[in-house]
Amino acid sequence: MKILLPIDGSKYTRRMLSYIAAHDELLGAGHEYHLLTVIPSLSSRAAAFFDRQTLDTYYHEEAEKVLRAPRAFAQKQGWANSSSYLHGHAPDQIARAVQRLRPDLVVMGTHGHTALGNAVLGSVVQGVLARCKVPVLLVR
């Protein structure tokens, strides 16, 4: 099974990865995992000061800060894994990755905001659920 793991480097990401590792009967080894992080885009005004190569380097370095530890964790667990990054609005980019990678399942950590918190702050999880047609497993 192909499993997409959108990650942001937070404690919720670590909790989600630990949950997968602790529940081999659900997921664990034997599946193909893809780690994805989405880096917020610089505003067009800020980006205008940099050439394309500098921006690409910035996004790559920011993504590596997020991907490094989860990639090492996945390798330590013996999971077949790959990773990538996108930049932009996280729910849109995760949905785009789902269309491109065609995973069987998306597993995400959730911050567990209340309904009021989601209404005020928005929620990446809600955005992904609204945009994706594949099953999404939320780990809180």
Side-chain angles (χ1 to χ4, degrees), residues 5-131:
L5 304 174
I7 60 173
D8 63 3
S10 69
K11 67 181 181 180
Y12 307 102
T13 291
R14 290 188 296 277
R15 187 179 300 155
M16 178 264 296
L17 292 171
S18 295
Y19 182 86
I20 293 170
H23 292 87
D24 280 342
E25 71 280 4
L26 293 175
L27 300 172
H31 301 289
E32 180 184 334
Y33 293 92
H34 187 86
L35 302 163
L36 171 71
T37 191
V38 179
I39 306 302
S41 292
L42 294 177
S43 71
S44 58
R45 184 171 231 163
F49 288 100
F50 303 102
D51 60 64
R52 187 79 213 150
Q53 184 177 3
T54 302
L55 287 173
D56 289 344
T57 300
Y58 165 77
Y59 291 129
H60 178 75
E61 289 173 355
E62 291 300 304
E64 281 303 309
K65 289 177 189 175
V66 175
L67 290 167
R68 191 172 297 120
R71 196 183 296 129
F73 181 83
Q75 289 172 345
K76 187 175 180 181
Q77 299 303 316
W79 300 344
N81 73 88
S82 57
S83 62
S84 64
Y85 69 92
L86 297 168
H87 65 88
H89 184 246
D92 292 337
Q93 295 299 354
I94 293 169
R96 180 173 290 152
V98 167
Q99 288 177 342
R100 181 175 48 90
L101 299 170
R102 305 180 69 76
D104 301 300
L105 177 66
V106 176
V107 181
M108 298 178 68
T110 179
H111 293 218
H113 293 302
T114 63
L116 178 60
N118 283 338
V120 174
L121 300 173
S123 169
V124 172
V125 169
Q126 283 183 330
V128 170
L129 289 172
R131 291 167 177 81

